[in-house]
Amino acid sequence: MTKDIERYMREAIQLSIDNIDNNGGPFGAVIVKGGKIIAKGVNRVTMDVDPTAHAEVNAIREASKVLGTFDLEGCEIYSSCEPCPMCLGAIYWAHLDKLYFANTKQDAKEIEFDDSFIYEEIEQPLADRKIPTKQILREEALEAFNKWKEKEDKIEY
């Protein structure tokens, strides 16, 4: 492992440690491009009153602003903890090249940040999920998808 990789991970870890003193959760992330940290994020769920304000998502938002693009190909993310399902999804949607993490999801579970129920819910049939889920008005909604499909000047992502 190169010293740079360890340096970036230590930065994410330090962000997670410092964030506790700022009333945030114990999570930090940095995004690197071309050997330079271009974005940092910490967990701001309680500070921003936003359940999506996780460290990785905040770092992705900042990196996108810095680079002026939603496509973060060519970047790597370093997270102080194995990403939750939402953050992992965001990492894939952002097209990050690599993911490095320190603490595991099991480590997070041991301090009561347990995402296992989400992984379990995804596998359940709609009728068996804890949040009642029902598909309606699909035919009407398909109008938007058909319009998108036919749009010649769309920006794909």
Side-chain angles (χ1 to χ4, degrees):
M1 183 173 304
T2 70
K3 289 193 184 299
D4 284 341
I5 291 171
E6 291 178 359
R7 179 170 55 92
Y8 303 139
M9 183 56 73
R10 284 191 178 97
E11 179 72 23
I13 292 168
Q14 191 61 53
L15 287 168
S16 73
I17 294 167
D18 294 345
N19 199 47
I20 296 167
D21 295 331
N22 295 320
N23 296 317
F27 304 97
V30 298
I31 295 180
V32 174
K33 181 170 185 167
K36 180 181 176 209
I37 294 175
I38 60 162
K40 298 178 183 181
V42 294
N43 180 287
R44 295 187 51 88
V45 170
T46 57
M47 292 178 280
D48 292 353
V49 192
D50 178 354
T52 69
H54 290 199
E56 298 90 342
V57 170
N58 287 333
I60 288 168
R61 289 173 178 158
E62 183 179 326
S64 294
K65 286 179 186 173
V66 166
L67 297 175
T69 182
F70 50 80
D71 186 345
L72 300 181
E73 188 174 333
C75 298
E76 301 172 342
I77 189 165
Y78 296 77
S79 177
S80 65
C81 186
E82 186 173 0
C84 75
M86 177 186 69
C87 292
L88 187 59
I91 288 165
Y92 276 97
W93 281 117
H95 304 126
L96 289 155
D97 289 357
K98 286 186 181 177
L99 161 65
Y100 298 92
F101 67 88
N103 290 319
T104 67
K105 59 186 174 186
Q106 182 61 39
D107 296 329
K109 182 177 183 175
E110 290 173 13
I111 62 164
E112 299 183 21
F113 287 96
D114 185 6
D115 300 321
S116 59
F117 74 98
I118 298 172
Y119 291 105
E120 293 165 5
E121 278 290 290
I122 290 169
E123 296 298 319
Q124 295 296 320
L126 296 180
D128 295 338
R129 292 186 180 172
K130 288 182 178 46
I131 296 177
T133 305
K134 182 175 172 96
Q135 181 183 21
I136 63 170
L137 301 178
R138 178 176 180 261
E139 292 302 317
E140 290 180 35
L142 282 173
E143 181 180 344
F145 282 11
N146 291 331
K147 186 174 180 179
W148 176 260
K149 184 178 178 181
E150 300 301 320
K151 184 174 174 62
E152 292 184 18
D153 62 342
K154 63 188 164 204
I155 299 171
E156 296 193 27
Y157 56 95

